[in-house]
Amino acid sequence: MKTFKIGLLGLGTVGGGTVNILQETLSEIQRRIGHNIEVSIIAVRDLNRSRPIDTSSIQMTDNPHDVVNHPEVDIVVELMGGTGLAKELLINAIQNKKHVVTANKALIAEFGNELFSFANENNVMVNYEAAVAGGIPIIKAVREGLAANKIEWLAGIINGTGNYILTEMKKPGADFAEVLKVAQELGYAEADPTFDVEGIDAAHKLTILASIGFGIELQFNKVYTEGISKITAEDIHFAEQLGYQIKHLGLATRTENGYSLRVHPTLVANEVLIANVNGVMNAVMAKGDHVGPTMYYGPGAGAGPTASAVVADIIDVIRAQSQNVEDRVPGLGFKADQLESAPVEPIENSVSSFYIRCFAQDHSGVLAKITAVFAELEINIEQLYQEPSQEKPEDATLVMVTNAVKESRFNQALAELQAMPEIGNDIQRIRVAELD
Ligand code: NAP
Ligand code: HSE
């Protein structure tokens, strides 16, 4: 039985979970792989912090370079986060011919093209299962399990913190800031929680999913990104009245001319399975041309689920050591020289139905003026709901859902509504998804 040595960068939520699994479940893992795994060295920022796990037999350091330069380490596991020092350390590790496992979606989405190409040159692996959808083995499912298919689209709830917040906000009196604080305490949120709330974390994950699904380069800067910070409890309530749940979705679609990559709050009809994914749970749907629509569900954040994916990656690296290098699963699922370069289309080209909530002066003729704007642009109002406004007593709250329409045309209608003195600027609009 050979011993593979791990050097760990970070011993926080995910790092702690990883050491915990390797301590508690080692004999079961040995039964699977026929090899031993030993954590040799761990870098942390603060050596004096008390840790909930036993590190007495592990070399601890506050210099992360000690980990990537350690002569005996076979696999560097990066669980510290960030894209500055973490990138420098992983480049260093690869130079030193060490395999890499990371949960760092920001690093993969923004610098993965460079990292994978450097890893290929050095014949080492970069595994990142934990970077998308926490404990769901979605990278393996899409990259390997669906390898017989041309992927048509991917859609998912891929941020646990955001889904937790949207779910908790359904409870009467829930406060956005309070709920976010709990998500942070539970270890779900990023070091900077605006990454969760403003959709950046989901955009990182969607970048990765699109790349492995379609065989395209990682293109984080092309993802249209909207967060959940402007979603109110009122929107959640009205959406429910109309038969929908509001979910923060990542959507990657093949289009006629290329691809559409977007992350935004979305109304999903109650009867669609993904509308019922709540709390920290994530779900990813992938439609392949042969398999049809598939869905994968599980916890999207937290120590145990994320570490489960990290340890599976470590096991994959160990197993791949007996394979020819050219037969290993390519980092992005497709051979590096086979990635396509079709364009990512601007959001204005996408087509969807829209939910609109606005305050309108409550007198005759106003509704007629609003519907005339839509009629002129050939946009159909499919659902309409009105009730006296709690916030502005002289107004009515008006909620509408349109038919599917090109976003640029909808924007024209929106601009005309915003210019109407009877309505004003304060208009909420949320896209509606059809997932079939
Ligand atoms: P965390 O709890 O904040 O842990 C970060 C760890 O890195 C800490 O142990 C910290 O040391 C250490 N560290 C930070 N900067 C360092 C430096 N300059 N030198 C040495 N050590 C340093 O973060 P986390 O939640 O585990 O997340 C880690 C990574 O996993 C991130 O990339 C995150 O996006 C990703 N991820 C997290 C989750 C999740 O549910 N939390 C899920 C999927 C992916 P100290 O302990 O001494 O401060
Ligand atoms: N902050 C992330 C989330 C962690 O809430 O989904 C898992 O990637």
Side-chain angles (χ1 to χ4, degrees):
M1 191 183 276
K2 181 175 171 194
T3 294
F4 285 84
K5 298 204 171 175
I6 307 293
L8 204 57
L9 296 165
L11 190 60
T13 303
V14 186
T18 300
V19 175
N20 185 47
I21 292 181
L22 289 174
Q23 288 176 345
E24 274 190 5
T25 318
L26 187 60
S27 61
E28 191 72 2
I29 293 169
Q30 287 172 342
R31 284 179 60 218
R32 291 180 188 273
I33 59 174
H35 294 297
N36 186 31
I37 302 174
E38 180 186 297
V39 179
S40 301
I41 179 167
I42 303 177
V44 292
R45 205 167 13 202
D46 178 1
L47 283 170
N48 296 319
R49 177 175 291 179
S50 78
R51 313 271 168 189
I53 43 173
D54 178 12
T55 56
S56 53
S57 62
I58 304 170
Q59 182 188 343
M60 299 295 292
T61 176
D62 57 4
N63 179 1
H65 293 277
D66 290 348
V67 172
V68 297
N69 291 321
H70 194 293
E72 286 178 15
V73 163
D74 301 295
I75 305 169
V76 169
V77 179
E78 186 275 307
L79 303 171
M80 52 187 264
T83 51
L85 180 60
K87 180 186 169 206
E88 181 192 321
L89 290 165
L90 292 195
I91 293 280
N92 223 317
I94 293 168
Q95 248 159 2
N96 291 338
K97 309 288 180 202
K98 297 182 191 312
H99 299 285
V100 166
V101 169
T102 179
N104 191 335
K105 47 270 163 137
L107 186 60
I108 296 293
E110 294 181 38
F111 299 103
N113 297 322
E114 198 183 318
L115 278 176
F116 287 121
S117 138
F118 194 53
N120 280 346
E121 283 169 30
N122 286 278
N123 287 337
V124 297
M125 298 172 70
V126 175
N127 279 7
Y128 53 95
E129 181 62 73
V132 182
I136 309 174
I138 191 65
I139 301 296
K140 194 158 241 189
V142 174
R143 197 176 59 176
E144 296 164 55
L146 298 182
N149 292 263
K150 186 165 185 174
I151 303 296
E152 293 175 5
W153 54 259
L154 296 139
I157 295 171
I158 45 181
N159 182 268
T161 305
N163 203 40
Y164 179 79
I165 293 172
L166 288 177
T167 305
E168 290 296 304
M169 275 173 66
K170 286 197 224 169
K171 297 179 183 162
D175 175 70
F176 192 103
E178 280 297 312
V179 178
L180 171 60
K181 198 160 153 260
V182 177
Q184 287 177 291
E185 284 161 8
L186 290 167
Y188 301 158
E190 294 304 298
D192 175 357
T194 56
F195 275 50
D196 298 290
V197 167
E198 297 306 342
I200 301 157
D201 178 74
H204 284 141
K205 292 164 176 168
L206 187 79
T207 302
I208 298 172
L209 283 176
S211 181
I212 63 168
F214 302 144
I216 58 176
E217 288 206 325
L218 295 150
Q219 298 173 73
F220 168 66
N221 58 358
K222 304 270 177 64
V223 181
Y224 173 82
T225 306
E226 240 179 67
I228 58 166
S229 58
K230 295 196 178 76
I231 301 296
T232 64
E234 214 183 5
D235 290 318
I236 293 172
H237 159 76
F238 285 130
E240 277 192 322
Q241 298 243 14
L242 297 168
Y244 298 95
Q245 299 295 315
I246 298 182
K247 292 292 170 194
H248 194 213
L249 289 191
L251 295 148
T253 320
R254 277 184 201 274
T255 63
E256 254 176 54
N257 304 315
Y259 303 97
S260 158
L261 308 182
R262 51 211 176 95
V263 166
H264 51 68
T266 313
L267 265 71
V268 188
N270 278 335
E271 57 274 16
V272 180
L273 207 50
I274 206 166
N276 301 292
V277 171
N278 291 315
V280 73
M281 302 310 269
N282 280 192
V284 179
M285 297 178 73
K287 186 173 182 206
D289 55 350
H290 295 294
V291 69
T294 61
M295 181 163 141
Y296 311 85
Y297 169 84
T306 312
S308 157
V310 170
V311 174
D313 266 354
I314 294 173
I315 291 171
D316 274 358
V317 169
I318 293 172
R319 285 184 169 144
Q321 300 316 296
S322 56
Q323 265 180 344
N324 291 329
V325 171
E326 59 274 16
D327 292 335
R328 287 179 192 157
V329 180
L332 294 175
F334 291 74
K335 289 285 185 191
D337 60 357
Q338 294 297 315
L339 298 182
E340 284 176 356
S341 58
V344 174
E345 295 205 53
I347 187 76
E348 288 75 17
N349 288 4
S350 67
V351 174
S352 65
S353 301
F354 287 86
Y355 157 101
I356 306 148
R357 173 179 54 77
C358 59
F359 300 109
Q361 287 174 9
D362 199 6
H363 58 72
S364 64
V366 175
L367 201 56
K369 268 183 94 172
I370 293 170
T371 51
V373 168
F374 285 116
E376 201 185 306
L377 288 159
E378 293 180 29
I379 299 172
N380 195 31
I381 299 172
E382 302 211 320
Q383 282 176 285
L384 193 145
Y385 177 80
Q386 179 177 341
E387 69 175 37
S389 167
Q390 307 285 329
E391 241 171 274
K392 301 185 179 177
E394 70 283 9
D395 285 356
T397 302
L398 203 59
V399 180
M400 293 167 276
V401 178
T402 71
N403 65 331
V405 54
K406 195 167 176 189
E407 178 130 349
S408 51
R409 188 142 53 98
F410 175 81
N411 286 346
Q412 230 177 303
L414 192 62
E416 287 184 34
L417 293 186
Q418 278 164 338
M420 280 172 59
E422 296 89 342
I423 296 186
N425 243 328
D426 189 10
I427 302 180
Q428 173 72 292
R429 68 105 180 84
I430 308 175
R431 297 170 189 86
V432 182
E434 276 169 34
L435 301 168
D436 49 24

